[in-house]
Coordinates of all heavy atoms in Angstrom, one line a residue:
M638 N 0.8 -1.2 0.0 CA 0.0 0.0 0.0 C 0.9 1.2 0.0 O 1.8 1.3 0.7 CB -0.9 0.0 1.2 CG -1.8 1.2 1.3 SD -2.8 1.2 2.8 CE -3.9 -0.2 2.5
K639 N 0.6 2.2 -0.8 CA 1.3 3.4 -0.9 C 0.8 4.5 0.1 O -0.3 4.4 0.5 CB 1.3 4.0 -2.3 CG 1.9 3.1 -3.4 CD 1.9 3.7 -4.7 CE 2.5 2.8 -5.7 NZ 2.5 3.4 -7.1
T640 N 1.7 5.4 0.4 CA 1.4 6.5 1.3 C 1.2 7.7 0.4 O 2.0 8.0 -0.4 CB 2.5 6.7 2.3 OG1 2.5 5.6 3.2 CG2 2.3 7.9 3.2
K641 N 0.1 8.4 0.7 CA -0.1 9.7 0.0 C 0.6 10.8 0.7 O 0.4 11.0 1.9 CB -1.6 10.0 -0.2 CG -1.9 11.2 -1.0 CD -3.3 11.2 -1.5 CE -3.4 12.3 -2.5 NZ -4.7 12.2 -3.3
I642 N 1.3 11.6 0.0 CA 2.0 12.7 0.6 C 1.5 14.0 -0.1 O 1.5 14.1 -1.3 CB 3.6 12.6 0.4 CG1 4.0 11.3 1.1 CG2 4.3 13.8 1.0 CD1 5.5 11.0 0.8
L643 N 1.0 14.9 0.7 CA 0.4 16.2 0.2 C 1.4 17.3 0.5 O 2.1 17.3 1.6 CB -0.9 16.4 0.9 CG -1.9 15.3 0.9 CD1 -3.1 15.6 1.8 CD2 -2.4 15.1 -0.6
F644 N 1.4 18.3 -0.3 CA 2.2 19.5 -0.1 C 1.3 20.7 -0.2 O 0.5 20.8 -1.1 CB 3.3 19.6 -1.2 CG 4.1 18.4 -1.3 CD1 4.0 17.4 -2.2 CD2 5.1 18.2 -0.3 CE1 4.7 16.3 -2.3 CE2 5.9 17.0 -0.4 CZ 5.7 16.1 -1.4
F645 N 1.4 21.7 0.7 CA 0.6 22.9 0.7 C 1.4 24.1 0.8 O 2.6 24.1 1.2 CB -0.3 22.8 2.0 CG -1.3 21.7 2.0 CD1 -1.1 20.5 2.6 CD2 -2.5 21.9 1.2 CE1 -2.0 19.5 2.6 CE2 -3.4 20.8 1.2 CZ -3.2 19.6 1.9
G646 N 0.8 25.2 0.4 CA 1.4 26.6 0.5 C 2.7 26.7 -0.3 O 2.9 26.2 -1.4
Q647 N 3.7 27.4 0.3 CA 5.0 27.6 -0.3 C 5.7 26.3 -0.6 O 6.4 26.1 -1.6 CB 5.9 28.5 0.6 CG 7.2 28.8 -0.1 CD 8.1 29.7 0.7 OE1 7.8 29.9 1.9 NE2 9.1 30.2 0.2
T648 N 5.5 25.3 0.3 CA 6.1 23.9 0.0 C 5.6 23.4 -1.3 O 6.4 22.9 -2.1 CB 5.7 23.0 1.2 OG1 6.1 23.6 2.4 CG2 6.4 21.6 1.0
R649 N 4.3 23.5 -1.6 CA 3.8 23.0 -2.9 C 4.4 23.8 -4.0 O 4.7 23.3 -5.1 CB 2.3 23.1 -2.9 CG 1.7 22.7 -4.2 CD 0.2 22.9 -4.3 NE -0.2 24.3 -4.1 CZ -1.2 24.7 -3.4 NH1 -2.0 23.9 -2.8 NH2 -1.5 26.0 -3.3
E650 N 4.5 25.2 -3.9 CA 5.0 26.0 -4.9 C 6.5 25.7 -5.2 O 6.8 25.7 -6.4 CB 4.9 27.5 -4.5 CG 3.4 28.0 -4.5 CD 3.3 29.3 -3.9 OE1 4.3 30.1 -3.7 OE2 2.1 29.7 -3.5
L651 N 7.3 25.5 -4.2 CA 8.7 25.1 -4.5 C 8.8 23.8 -5.1 O 9.7 23.6 -6.0 CB 9.4 25.1 -3.1 CG 9.7 26.5 -2.5 CD1 10.2 26.4 -1.1 CD2 10.8 27.2 -3.4
I652 N 8.1 22.8 -4.7 CA 8.2 21.5 -5.3 C 7.5 21.4 -6.7 O 8.0 20.6 -7.5 CB 7.6 20.4 -4.3 CG1 8.5 20.3 -3.1 CG2 7.4 19.1 -4.9 CD1 8.0 19.5 -1.9
G653 N 6.4 22.1 -6.8 CA 5.7 22.1 -8.1 C 4.7 21.0 -8.2 O 4.2 20.7 -9.3
L654 N 4.4 20.3 -7.1 CA 3.4 19.3 -7.0 C 2.5 19.4 -5.8 O 2.9 19.9 -4.8 CB 4.0 17.9 -6.9 CG 4.9 17.4 -8.1 CD1 5.7 16.2 -7.7 CD2 4.1 17.2 -9.3
S655 N 1.2 19.0 -5.9 CA 0.3 19.1 -4.8 C 0.3 17.8 -4.0 O 0.0 17.8 -2.8 CB -1.1 19.5 -5.2 OG -1.6 18.5 -6.1
D656 N 0.7 16.7 -4.7 CA 0.7 15.4 -4.0 C 1.5 14.3 -4.8 O 1.6 14.5 -6.0 CB -0.7 14.9 -3.7 CG -1.5 14.6 -4.9 OD1 -1.4 13.5 -5.4 OD2 -2.2 15.5 -5.4
I657 N 1.9 13.3 -4.1 CA 2.6 12.2 -4.7 C 2.2 10.9 -3.9 O 1.7 11.1 -2.8 CB 4.1 12.3 -4.7 CG1 4.7 12.4 -3.3 CG2 4.6 13.5 -5.6 CD1 6.2 12.3 -3.2
E658 N 2.5 9.8 -4.4 CA 2.4 8.5 -3.7 C 3.8 8.0 -3.5 O 4.6 8.1 -4.4 CB 1.5 7.5 -4.4 CG 0.1 8.0 -4.4 CD -0.9 6.9 -5.0 OE1 -0.4 5.9 -5.5 OE2 -2.1 7.1 -4.9
W659 N 4.1 7.4 -2.3 CA 5.4 7.0 -1.9 C 5.4 5.6 -1.3 O 4.5 5.3 -0.6 CB 6.0 8.0 -0.9 CG 7.4 8.0 -0.7 CD1 8.1 7.5 0.3 CD2 8.4 8.5 -1.6 NE1 9.4 7.6 0.2 CE2 9.7 8.3 -1.0 CE3 8.4 9.2 -2.8 CZ2 10.9 8.7 -1.6 CZ3 9.6 9.6 -3.4 CH2 10.8 9.3 -2.8
E660 N 6.4 4.8 -1.6 CA 6.4 3.4 -1.2 C 7.5 3.1 -0.2 O 7.6 2.1 0.4 CB 6.6 2.5 -2.3 CG 5.3 2.4 -3.2 CD 5.5 1.3 -4.2 OE1 5.6 0.2 -3.8 OE2 5.4 1.6 -5.4
H661 N 8.4 4.0 0.0 CA 9.6 3.8 0.9 C 9.3 4.0 2.4 O 9.8 4.9 3.0 CB 10.8 4.7 0.4 CG 11.1 4.6 -1.0 ND1 11.8 3.5 -1.5 CD2 10.8 5.4 -2.1 CE1 11.9 3.6 -2.8 NE2 11.3 4.8 -3.2
L662 N 8.5 3.1 2.9 CA 8.1 3.2 4.3 C 8.1 1.9 4.9 O 8.2 0.9 4.3 CB 6.7 3.8 4.4 CG 6.5 5.2 3.8 CD1 5.0 5.5 3.7 CD2 7.2 6.2 4.6
P663 N 8.0 1.7 6.3 CA 7.8 2.8 7.2 C 9.2 3.5 7.6 O 10.2 2.9 7.4 CB 7.3 2.0 8.5 CG 7.9 0.6 8.3 CD 8.0 0.4 6.9
S664 N 9.0 4.7 8.0 CA 10.2 5.5 8.4 C 9.7 6.6 9.3 O 8.5 6.8 9.4 CB 10.9 6.0 7.2 OG 10.0 6.9 6.5
T665 N 10.6 7.3 9.9 CA 10.2 8.5 10.7 C 10.0 9.6 9.7 O 10.4 9.6 8.6 CB 11.3 8.9 11.7 OG1 12.5 9.3 10.9 CG2 11.7 7.8 12.7
V666 N 9.3 10.6 10.2 CA 9.1 11.8 9.4 C 10.5 12.4 8.9 O 10.6 12.8 7.8 CB 8.3 12.9 10.2 CG1 8.3 14.2 9.4 CG2 6.9 12.4 10.4
A667 N 11.4 12.4 9.8 CA 12.8 12.9 9.5 C 13.4 12.1 8.3 O 14.0 12.6 7.4 CB 13.7 12.9 10.7
E668 N 13.3 10.8 8.4 CA 13.8 9.9 7.3 C 13.0 10.1 6.0 O 13.6 10.1 4.9 CB 13.7 8.4 7.7 CG 14.6 8.1 8.9 CD 14.3 6.7 9.5 OE1 13.2 6.2 9.4 OE2 15.3 6.2 10.1
L669 N 11.7 10.3 6.1 CA 10.9 10.6 4.9 C 11.3 11.9 4.3 O 11.5 12.0 3.1 CB 9.4 10.6 5.3 CG 8.5 10.9 4.1 CD1 8.6 9.9 3.0 CD2 7.0 10.9 4.6
R670 N 11.5 12.9 5.1 CA 12.0 14.2 4.6 C 13.3 14.1 3.9 O 13.6 14.6 2.8 CB 12.3 15.2 5.8 CG 11.1 15.9 6.4 CD 11.6 16.8 7.5 NE 10.5 17.2 8.4 CZ 9.8 18.3 8.3 NH1 10.0 19.1 7.3 NH2 8.9 18.6 9.2
E671 N 14.2 13.3 4.5 CA 15.6 13.0 3.9 C 15.4 12.3 2.5 O 16.0 12.7 1.5 CB 16.4 12.2 4.8 CG 17.8 11.9 4.3 CD 18.7 13.1 4.2 OE1 18.5 14.1 4.9 OE2 19.7 13.0 3.4
Q672 N 14.6 11.3 2.5 CA 14.4 10.6 1.2 C 13.8 11.5 0.1 O 14.3 11.5 -1.0 CB 13.4 9.4 1.4 CG 14.0 8.3 2.3 CD 12.9 7.3 2.6 OE1 11.9 7.2 2.1 NE2 13.3 6.4 3.6
L673 N 12.8 12.3 0.5 CA 12.2 13.2 -0.5 C 13.1 14.3 -0.9 O 13.1 14.8 -2.0 CB 10.9 13.8 0.1 CG 9.7 12.8 0.3 CD1 8.6 13.4 1.1 CD2 9.2 12.3 -1.0
S674 N 13.9 14.8 0.0 CA 14.8 15.9 -0.3 C 15.8 15.6 -1.4 O 16.4 16.5 -2.0 CB 15.5 16.4 0.9 OG 16.5 15.5 1.4
H675 N 16.0 14.3 -1.7 CA 17.0 13.9 -2.7 C 16.3 14.0 -4.1 O 17.0 13.7 -5.1 CB 17.5 12.4 -2.5 CG 18.4 12.3 -1.3 ND1 19.7 12.8 -1.3 CD2 18.2 11.8 -0.1 CE1 20.2 12.6 -0.1 NE2 19.3 12.0 0.6
Q676 N 15.1 14.4 -4.2 CA 14.4 14.5 -5.5 C 14.9 15.8 -6.3 O 14.6 15.9 -7.4 CB 12.9 14.6 -5.3 CG 12.3 13.4 -4.6 CD 12.5 12.1 -5.4 OE1 12.1 12.1 -6.5 NE2 13.1 11.1 -4.7
G677 N 15.6 16.7 -5.6 CA 16.1 17.9 -6.2 C 16.3 19.0 -5.3 O 15.9 18.9 -4.1
D678 N 16.9 20.1 -5.7 CA 17.3 21.2 -4.9 C 16.0 21.9 -4.3 O 16.0 22.2 -3.1 CB 18.1 22.3 -5.7 CG 19.5 21.8 -6.0 OD1 20.0 20.9 -5.3 OD2 20.1 22.4 -6.9
N679 N 15.0 22.1 -5.1 CA 13.8 22.7 -4.5 C 13.1 21.8 -3.5 O 12.6 22.3 -2.5 CB 12.8 23.0 -5.6 CG 13.1 24.1 -6.5 OD1 14.1 24.9 -6.2 ND2 12.5 24.3 -7.6
W680 N 13.1 20.5 -3.7 CA 12.6 19.6 -2.7 C 13.4 19.7 -1.4 O 12.9 19.8 -0.3 CB 12.7 18.1 -3.2 CG 11.8 17.8 -4.3 CD1 11.8 18.2 -5.6 CD2 10.6 17.0 -4.2 NE1 10.8 17.7 -6.3 CE2 10.0 16.9 -5.5 CE3 10.0 16.3 -3.1 CZ2 8.9 16.2 -5.7 CZ3 8.9 15.6 -3.4 CH2 8.3 15.5 -4.7
H681 N 14.7 19.7 -1.5 CA 15.6 19.8 -0.3 C 15.3 21.1 0.4 O 15.1 21.0 1.6 CB 17.1 19.7 -0.8 CG 18.0 19.9 0.4 ND1 18.3 18.8 1.2 CD2 18.7 20.9 0.8 CE1 19.1 19.2 2.2 NE2 19.4 20.5 1.9
Y682 N 15.3 22.2 -0.3 CA 15.0 23.5 0.4 C 13.6 23.5 1.0 O 13.5 23.9 2.2 CB 15.1 24.6 -0.6 CG 14.8 26.0 0.0 CD1 15.7 26.6 0.8 CD2 13.6 26.6 -0.3 CE1 15.5 27.8 1.4 CE2 13.3 27.8 0.3 CZ 14.2 28.4 1.1 OH 13.9 29.6 1.7
A683 N 12.6 23.0 0.3 CA 11.2 23.1 0.9 C 11.1 22.2 2.1 O 10.4 22.6 3.1 CB 10.3 22.7 -0.2
L684 N 11.7 21.0 2.1 CA 11.4 20.1 3.2 C 12.4 20.1 4.3 O 12.1 19.6 5.4 CB 11.4 18.6 2.6 CG 10.3 18.4 1.6 CD1 10.5 17.1 0.9 CD2 8.9 18.5 2.2
T685 N 13.5 20.8 4.1 CA 14.5 20.9 5.3 C 14.4 22.2 6.0 O 15.1 22.4 6.9 CB 15.9 20.6 4.8 OG1 16.3 21.5 3.8 CG2 16.0 19.2 4.3
E686 N 13.5 23.1 5.5 CA 13.3 24.4 6.2 C 12.8 24.1 7.6 O 12.0 23.2 7.8 CB 12.2 25.2 5.5 CG 12.7 26.0 4.3 CD 13.6 27.1 4.8 OE1 13.1 28.0 5.5 OE2 14.7 27.2 4.3
K687 N 13.4 24.8 8.6 CA 13.0 24.6 10.0 C 11.5 24.8 10.2 O 10.9 24.2 11.1 CB 13.8 25.5 10.9 CG 15.3 25.2 10.9 CD 15.6 24.1 11.8 CE 17.1 24.0 11.9 NZ 17.6 22.6 12.0
S688 N 10.9 25.7 9.4 CA 9.5 26.0 9.5 C 8.5 25.1 8.8 O 7.3 25.3 9.0 CB 9.3 27.5 9.1 OG 9.6 27.6 7.7
C689 N 9.0 24.1 8.1 CA 8.2 23.2 7.4 C 7.5 22.2 8.4 O 8.2 21.4 9.0 CB 8.9 22.4 6.3 SG 7.9 21.3 5.3
L690 N 6.2 22.3 8.5 CA 5.5 21.4 9.5 C 5.1 20.1 8.8 O 5.0 20.1 7.5 CB 4.3 22.1 10.0 CG 4.6 23.5 10.8 CD1 3.3 24.1 11.2 CD2 5.5 23.2 12.0
C691 N 4.7 19.1 9.6 CA 4.2 17.9 9.0 C 3.0 17.4 9.8 O 3.0 17.5 11.1 CB 5.3 16.8 9.1 SG 4.8 15.2 8.4
A692 N 2.0 16.9 9.1 CA 0.9 16.2 9.8 C 0.8 14.8 9.2 O 1.0 14.6 8.0 CB -0.4 17.0 9.5
V693 N 0.4 13.9 10.0 CA 0.2 12.5 9.6 C -1.3 12.2 10.0 O -1.6 12.3 11.2 CB 1.2 11.5 10.2 CG1 0.8 10.1 9.8 CG2 2.6 11.8 9.8
N694 N -2.0 11.8 9.0 CA -3.5 11.5 9.2 C -4.2 12.7 9.9 O -4.9 12.5 10.8 CB -3.7 10.2 10.0 CG -3.1 9.1 9.2 OD1 -3.1 9.0 8.0 ND2 -2.5 8.1 9.9
K695 N -3.8 13.9 9.4 CA -4.4 15.2 9.9 C -4.1 15.6 11.3 O -4.7 16.4 11.9 CB -5.9 15.2 9.6 CG -6.2 15.0 8.2 CD -7.7 15.1 7.9 CE -7.9 14.8 6.4 NZ -9.3 14.7 6.1
I696 N -3.0 15.0 11.9 CA -2.5 15.3 13.2 C -1.1 15.8 13.1 O -0.2 15.1 12.6 CB -2.6 14.1 14.2 CG1 -4.1 13.6 14.3 CG2 -2.0 14.4 15.5 CD1 -4.2 12.3 15.0
L697 N -0.9 17.0 13.7 CA 0.5 17.6 13.6 C 1.4 16.7 14.4 O 1.1 16.3 15.6 CB 0.4 19.0 14.3 CG 1.7 19.8 14.1 CD1 2.0 20.1 12.7 CD2 1.5 21.1 14.9
V698 N 2.6 16.4 13.8 CA 3.5 15.4 14.4 C 5.0 16.0 14.3 O 5.2 16.9 13.6 CB 3.5 14.0 13.8 CG1 2.2 13.4 13.9 CG2 3.9 14.1 12.3
N699 N 5.9 15.4 15.1 CA 7.3 15.9 15.1 C 8.0 14.9 14.2 O 7.5 13.9 13.7 CB 7.9 16.0 16.5 CG 8.0 14.7 17.2 OD1 8.1 13.6 16.6 ND2 7.9 14.7 18.5
D700 N 9.3 15.2 14.0 CA 10.2 14.4 13.1 C 10.4 13.0 13.6 O 10.9 12.1 12.8 CB 11.5 15.1 12.8 CG 11.3 16.2 11.8 OD1 10.3 16.3 11.1 OD2 12.3 16.9 11.5
L701 N 10.1 12.6 14.8 CA 10.3 11.3 15.3 C 9.1 10.4 15.1 O 9.2 9.2 15.3 CB 10.7 11.3 16.8 CG 11.9 12.1 17.2 CD1 12.1 12.2 18.7 CD2 13.2 11.6 16.5
H702 N 8.0 10.9 14.6 CA 6.8 10.2 14.4 C 7.1 9.1 13.3 O 7.7 9.4 12.3 CB 5.7 11.1 14.0 CG 4.4 10.4 13.8 ND1 3.5 10.1 14.9 CD2 3.8 9.8 12.7 CE1 2.5 9.5 14.4 NE2 2.6 9.3 13.1
I703 N 6.6 7.9 13.5 CA 6.7 6.8 12.5 C 5.6 6.9 11.5 O 4.4 7.0 11.9 CB 6.7 5.4 13.2 CG1 7.8 5.3 14.2 CG2 6.7 4.3 12.1 CD1 9.2 5.3 13.6
V704 N 6.0 6.9 10.2 CA 5.0 7.0 9.1 C 4.9 5.5 8.6 O 5.8 4.9 8.3 CB 5.5 7.9 8.0 CG1 4.5 7.9 6.8 CG2 5.7 9.3 8.5
E705 N 3.6 5.1 8.6 CA 3.3 3.7 8.1 C 2.8 3.7 6.7 O 2.2 4.7 6.3 CB 2.3 3.0 9.1 CG 2.8 2.9 10.5 CD 3.8 1.9 10.8 OE1 4.0 1.0 9.9 OE2 4.4 1.9 11.9
N706 N 2.8 2.6 6.0 CA 2.2 2.5 4.7 C 0.7 2.8 4.9 O 0.1 2.3 5.8 CB 2.4 1.1 4.1 CG 3.8 0.9 3.6 OD1 4.3 1.8 2.9 ND2 4.4 -0.2 3.9
G707 N 0.2 3.6 3.9 CA -1.3 3.9 4.0 C -1.6 5.2 4.7 O -2.7 5.7 4.6
D708 N -0.6 5.7 5.5 CA -0.8 7.0 6.1 C -1.0 8.1 5.1 O -0.5 8.0 4.0 CB 0.3 7.4 7.1 CG 0.3 6.6 8.4 OD1 -0.7 6.0 8.7 OD2 1.3 6.6 9.1
E709 N -1.6 9.2 5.5 CA -1.7 10.4 4.7 C -0.7 11.4 5.4 O -0.9 11.7 6.5 CB -3.1 11.0 4.6 CG -3.1 12.3 3.8 CD -4.5 12.9 3.8 OE1 -4.8 13.6 4.8 OE2 -5.2 12.7 2.9
V710 N 0.3 11.9 4.7 CA 1.3 12.8 5.2 C 1.2 14.1 4.5 O 1.0 14.2 3.3 CB 2.7 12.2 5.0 CG1 3.8 13.2 5.5 CG2 2.9 10.8 5.6
A711 N 1.2 15.2 5.3 CA 1.1 16.5 4.7 C 2.3 17.4 5.2 O 2.6 17.4 6.3 CB -0.2 17.2 5.0
F712 N 3.0 18.1 4.2 CA 4.0 19.0 4.6 C 3.5 20.4 4.2 O 3.0 20.6 3.1 CB 5.3 18.7 3.8 CG 6.0 17.5 4.2 CD1 5.9 16.3 3.5 CD2 6.8 17.5 5.4 CE1 6.5 15.1 3.9 CE2 7.4 16.3 5.8 CZ 7.3 15.1 5.1
F713 N 3.7 21.4 5.1 CA 3.2 22.7 4.9 C 3.9 23.7 5.7 O 4.5 23.4 6.8 CB 1.7 22.7 5.2 CG 1.4 22.2 6.6 CD1 1.2 23.0 7.6 CD2 1.2 20.8 6.8 CE1 0.9 22.5 8.9 CE2 0.9 20.3 8.0 CZ 0.8 21.2 9.1
P714 N 3.9 25.0 5.3 CA 4.5 26.1 6.1 C 3.6 26.4 7.3 O 2.4 25.9 7.3 CB 4.6 27.2 5.1 CG 3.5 27.0 4.1 CD 3.4 25.5 4.0
P715 N 4.1 27.1 8.3 CA 3.3 27.4 9.5 C 1.9 28.1 9.1 O 1.0 27.9 9.9 CB 4.1 28.4 10.3 CG 5.5 28.1 9.8 CD 5.4 27.7 8.4
V716 N 1.9 28.9 8.1 CA 0.6 29.6 7.7 C 0.3 29.1 6.3 O 1.0 29.4 5.4 CB 0.8 31.1 7.8 CG1 -0.5 31.8 7.3 CG2 1.1 31.5 9.2
T717 N -0.9 28.5 6.1 CA -1.3 28.0 4.8 C -2.7 28.6 4.5 O -3.6 28.5 5.3 CB -1.4 26.5 4.8 OG1 -0.1 26.0 5.1 CG2 -1.8 26.0 3.5
G718 N -2.8 29.2 3.4 CA -4.1 29.7 3.0 C -4.6 29.0 1.7 O -3.9 28.3 1.0
G719 N -5.9 29.2 1.5 CA -6.5 28.6 0.3 C -6.6 27.2 0.3 O -6.6 26.3 -0.3

């Protein structure tokens, strides 16, 4: 089962995508950020920013949270509109 990863706000603008499906799990949020950041410079910048927040299954989590297959993961800046 794949995990859906959503991007919002400036994170979405930098990456150029609103969502992807990912299979490289389970891992912590920090490990997922690291894996995704290898997709290119914009990905690295967007996902390693200290202000980039993460929610798993619509609950705000920290970088130590374990992401399981089938979870919905969202990366977003502290203020997201629209």
Side-chain angles (χ1 to χ4, degrees):
M638 179 182 295
K639 294 182 180 180
T640 295
K641 186 162 189 164
I642 302 175
L643 308 170
F644 305 102
F645 294 97
Q647 184 180 10
T648 305
R649 178 183 63 219
E650 291 172 15
L651 285 167
I652 290 171
L654 297 169
S655 60
D656 63 88
I657 61 170
E658 291 190 351
W659 197 256
E660 291 189 61
H661 305 285
L662 298 170
S664 62
T665 64
V666 169
E668 291 167 338
L669 179 59
R670 283 182 198 264
E671 179 69 22
Q672 292 171 13
L673 292 170
S674 71
H675 291 290
Q676 301 298 307
D678 290 341
N679 286 349
W680 290 72
H681 179 78
Y682 178 75
L684 296 171
T685 58
E686 277 290 301
K687 298 276 187 214
S688 60
C689 183
L690 301 175
C691 182
V693 175
N694 300 323
K695 300 181 181 173
I696 298 170
L697 189 62
V698 297
N699 66 30
D700 278 355
L701 299 177
H702 183 86
I703 301 293
V704 179
E705 302 284 348
N706 285 314
D708 283 347
E709 179 185 81
V710 179
F712 289 102
F713 53 94
V716 177
T717 300

